[in-house]
Amino acid sequence: MKIHHIGIVVDNIQNSLGEFSKFIKFDEISIPTLVGSQKVNVCFMKIGESRIEFIEPIDDESPVRKALQKGGGFHHICFEVDDLSEKIKEIVENGGRLIVSPVEGFEGRQIAFVLLNMKKTNLNLVELVQR
Amino acid sequence: MKIHHIGIVVDNIQNSLGEFSKFIKFDEISIPTLVGSQKVNVCFMKIGESRIEFIEPIDDESPVRKALQKGGGFHHICFEVDDLSEKIKEIVENGGRLIVSPVEGFEGRQIAFVLLNMKKTNLNLVELVQR
């Protein structure tokens, strides 16, 4: 298991790439691509084994539209797991909640979103991606 | 260069560790330690080559006290760099601002905080740590 990426909501991927690349040199920058299931364009900036993901909602029905209206910024941490359905089962058994069932995400990989339902830690929204 | 950690502000490290460990299994969990310069206790949870850091302010003068009062949660990304003073110089030349000059941080390592001053990307506070 590892941290696959940190998701950051932005208004416009190209503008944010232009700003951020002045400060931080990334090992690889992916071509922005559409994730239809979430109605977002995403772009990954690889640095070491992890990535920063820019997430740009493409319309008002995107689930991250509200996050952008609040100013955008940090949105979620994504963990890469060996067995997606096993990990979801374990999280739900421990009181977490599945909010986006496994669906095709970036790179055609299966992703899911869970809410950890932690009361004392403001870090509840987590994405899981199949290794 | 790599992502060393993602800093998360919490009220109480032990409570948050108890909650989070139910959901995510970490490779290593450090013993919570005081970082006197920032008036915080910190705890690192290693997963792959990166870590999640819990940051608990120890008194009202801690620079993260206000972040906790707003509910805590995501606070900063920390990048590990080969040459801390060179990287700070480069960031400042590109319009960033040094807000905590190099000082002893976790593990006795030199750390600094910079504001990237990005107008279109809500991801401005960044920690740098010497490799």
Side-chain angles (χ1 to χ4, degrees):
Chain A
M1 198 162 160
K2 64 180 183 184
I3 296 175
H4 182 276
H5 66 258
I6 304 157
I8 309 290
V9 173
V10 301
D11 182 50
N12 180 292
I13 285 174
Q14 289 303 336
N15 289 346
S16 287
L17 266 183
E19 283 190 325
F20 205 23
S21 304
K22 283 194 307 183
F23 297 111
I24 306 293
K25 300 288 169 271
F26 294 98
D27 300 337
E28 284 171 39
I29 299 179
S30 77
I31 294 168
T33 48
L34 175 70
V35 177
S37 64
Q38 304 303 304
K39 296 184 192 298
V40 292
N41 288 317
V42 301
C43 175
F44 289 99
M45 292 145 279
K46 193 163 190 295
I47 183 162
E49 75 173 23
S50 292
R51 293 154 200 79
I52 291 174
E53 175 192 36
F54 281 151
I55 312 161
E56 172 194 291
I58 55 164
D59 69 27
D60 286 348
E61 282 165 47
S62 166
V64 302
R65 190 70 193 177
K66 205 175 280 184
L68 179 62
Q69 284 162 346
K70 287 181 186 167
F74 176 78
H75 187 259
H76 67 267
I77 295 178
C78 176
F79 295 99
E80 188 177 82
V81 298
D82 289 339
D83 185 332
L84 183 62
S85 51
E86 190 55 39
K87 189 68 197 169
I88 291 169
K89 191 167 157 247
E90 184 190 316
I91 286 175
V92 170
E93 280 171 1
N94 280 292
R97 192 151 61 89
L98 179 65
I99 55 168
V100 175
S101 296
V103 64
E104 187 174 316
F106 60 91
E107 298 168 0
R109 293 163 75 172
Q110 289 288 301
I111 62 158
F113 280 88
V114 290
L115 268 184
L116 301 186
N117 287 338
M118 299 193 288
K119 304 223 179 320
K120 293 165 181 165
T121 315
N122 186 2
L123 187 70
N124 284 296
L125 181 63
V126 162
E127 181 178 0
L128 302 171
V129 60
Q130 176 67 44
R131 189 159 71 101
Chain B
M1 198 163 160
K2 64 180 183 183
I3 296 176
H4 183 276
H5 66 258
I6 305 157
I8 309 290
V9 173
V10 299
D11 182 49
N12 179 293
I13 286 175
Q14 290 303 338
N15 289 348
S16 287
L17 266 183
E19 282 189 326
F20 205 22
S21 304
K22 281 195 308 183
F23 297 111
I24 305 292
K25 300 289 169 269
F26 295 98
D27 300 337
E28 283 172 40
I29 299 179
S30 77
I31 295 169
T33 49
L34 175 70
V35 177
S37 64
Q38 305 303 304
K39 297 184 192 297
V40 292
N41 288 318
V42 300
C43 175
F44 290 99
M45 292 144 279
K46 193 164 189 296
I47 183 161
E49 74 173 23
S50 292
R51 292 153 201 80
I52 291 172
E53 175 192 35
F54 281 150
I55 312 161
E56 171 195 291
I58 55 164
D59 69 27
D60 285 350
E61 283 165 45
S62 166
V64 301
R65 189 71 193 177
K66 204 175 281 183
L68 180 62
Q69 284 162 346
K70 287 181 187 168
F74 176 78
H75 187 258
H76 66 266
I77 295 178
C78 176
F79 295 99
E80 188 177 81
V81 298
D82 289 338
D83 185 331
L84 182 61
S85 51
E86 190 55 40
K87 190 67 197 172
I88 291 169
K89 191 167 158 246
E90 185 191 315
I91 286 175
V92 169
E93 280 172 1
N94 280 294
R97 193 152 60 88
L98 179 64
I99 54 167
V100 175
S101 296
V103 65
E104 187 175 317
F106 62 89
E107 298 169 0
R109 293 162 75 172
Q110 290 287 300
I111 62 158
F113 280 89
V114 290
L115 268 183
L116 301 186
N117 287 338
M118 299 192 288
K119 304 222 180 319
K120 292 165 181 166
T121 315
N122 185 2
L123 186 69
N124 284 296
L125 181 63
V126 161
E127 182 178 359
L128 303 171
V129 60
Q130 175 67 44
R131 190 159 72 100

